[in-house]
Amino acid sequence: MNLYPLGKALCTALLKPFYRIKVIGKENFPKNEGVLLCTNHIDNLDPPVVGLTSPRPVHFMAKEELFQLPILKSVLPNVNAFPVKRGLSDRQAIRKALELLRSGQVVGMFPEGTRSKNGELGKGLTGAGFFALKGDAVVMPCAIIGPYHPFKQLKVIFGKPIDMAPYRERKASAEEATEVIMSAIQELLEKNR
């Protein structure tokens, strides 16, 4: 049973007024094609906040350990989350993400791999570049500007899509593609603080 619409409605009702979420750049979001949505990571609430502000449903990779918790193991698959084994080359998660991107879906990713401890953008892992090059999708840079304080404004900024075709054509490395993505996120952070 797909609980995504219900989850989005609940998160919108609870989180949007509590954190006074302001969304910028929604018009930049591609309407039909596959999208790799790459966002900085500052809080555990980032996935629901990105999900509620995105104009299209987002599929998130979530650490496998979450799928072993009693309530979450039933809920997560029904809100478009799928497990990934961290620190390993998880072929099943890779296949699932590529399949979603190639079928025109939105896959959300936090390229840093973990939450930032100081609010600054960390180094991106090459997985983001790998999916950007192999997923036959555009990359959508996104910035969350906090912090998460009750009744203080939280911003979610969707940048202009990055066409990865030129990087695919010249067989760019995953490292280079990741650097392009992280630079776009950093630019959004700097322009909107």
Side-chain angles (χ1 to χ4, degrees), residues 42-64:
I42 59 171
D43 195 276
N44 283 331
L45 289 173
D46 291 344
V49 164
V50 170
L52 77 88
T53 56
S54 168
R56 293 173 56 194
V58 183
H59 298 263
F60 280 106
M61 286 185 193
K63 59 184 178 181
E64 187 182 47

Side-chain angles (χ1 to χ4, degrees), residues 2-189:
N2 188 347
L3 298 174
Y4 192 94
L6 175 63
K8 182 169 182 167
L10 286 172
C11 286
T12 300
L14 295 171
L15 298 178
K16 204 162 187 184
F18 195 64
Y19 293 112
R20 295 183 48 228
I21 297 170
K22 179 179 182 180
V23 184
I24 300 166
K26 233 180 192 177
E27 69 281 358
N28 294 329
F29 216 97
K31 300 215 181 337
N32 304 315
E33 58 196 306
V35 174
L36 181 64
L37 178 59
C38 293
T39 308
N40 63 317
H41 199 5
I42 59 171
D43 195 276
N44 283 331
L45 289 173
D46 291 344
V49 164
V50 170
L52 77 88
T53 56
S54 168
R56 293 173 56 194
V58 183
H59 298 263
F60 280 106
M61 286 185 193
K63 59 184 178 181
E64 187 182 47
E65 297 83 6
L66 294 176
F67 289 81
Q68 294 160 4
L69 299 173
I71 295 172
L72 289 180
K73 72 179 175 185
S74 301
V75 173
L76 287 174
N78 292 302
V79 291
N80 294 356
F82 59 98
V84 62
K85 294 179 180 112
R86 295 195 306 172
L88 302 168
S89 179
D90 184 343
R91 290 177 190 224
Q92 190 172 347
I94 291 169
R95 267 196 305 273
K96 175 74 173 170
L98 291 175
E99 180 185 297
L100 288 164
L101 291 169
R102 290 172 181 159
S103 69
Q105 304 295 312
V106 179
V107 173
M109 178 175 280
F110 300 100
E112 296 159 283
T114 189
R115 290 185 315 278
S116 169
K117 304 231 182 322
N118 61 7
E120 297 299 315
L121 188 65
K123 183 169 171 45
L125 302 176
T126 56
F130 170 82
F131 287 112
L133 295 170
K134 302 288 185 196
D136 197 26
V138 298
V139 172
M140 189 80 194
C142 177
I144 301 171
I145 299 176
Y148 283 79
H149 288 314
F151 309 112
K152 295 226 169 141
Q153 190 170 77
L154 181 76
K155 290 188 212 168
V156 179
I157 299 105
F158 295 107
K160 300 259 188 222
I162 304 168
D163 180 8
M164 297 307 295
Y167 299 94
R168 287 185 203 107
E169 284 164 17
R170 64 181 178 76
K171 300 194 178 353
S173 67
E175 290 85 1
E176 183 185 350
T178 300
E179 282 174 23
V180 168
I181 294 166
M182 299 310 285
S183 293
I185 296 170
Q186 183 64 45
E187 191 176 322
L188 289 175
L189 289 167

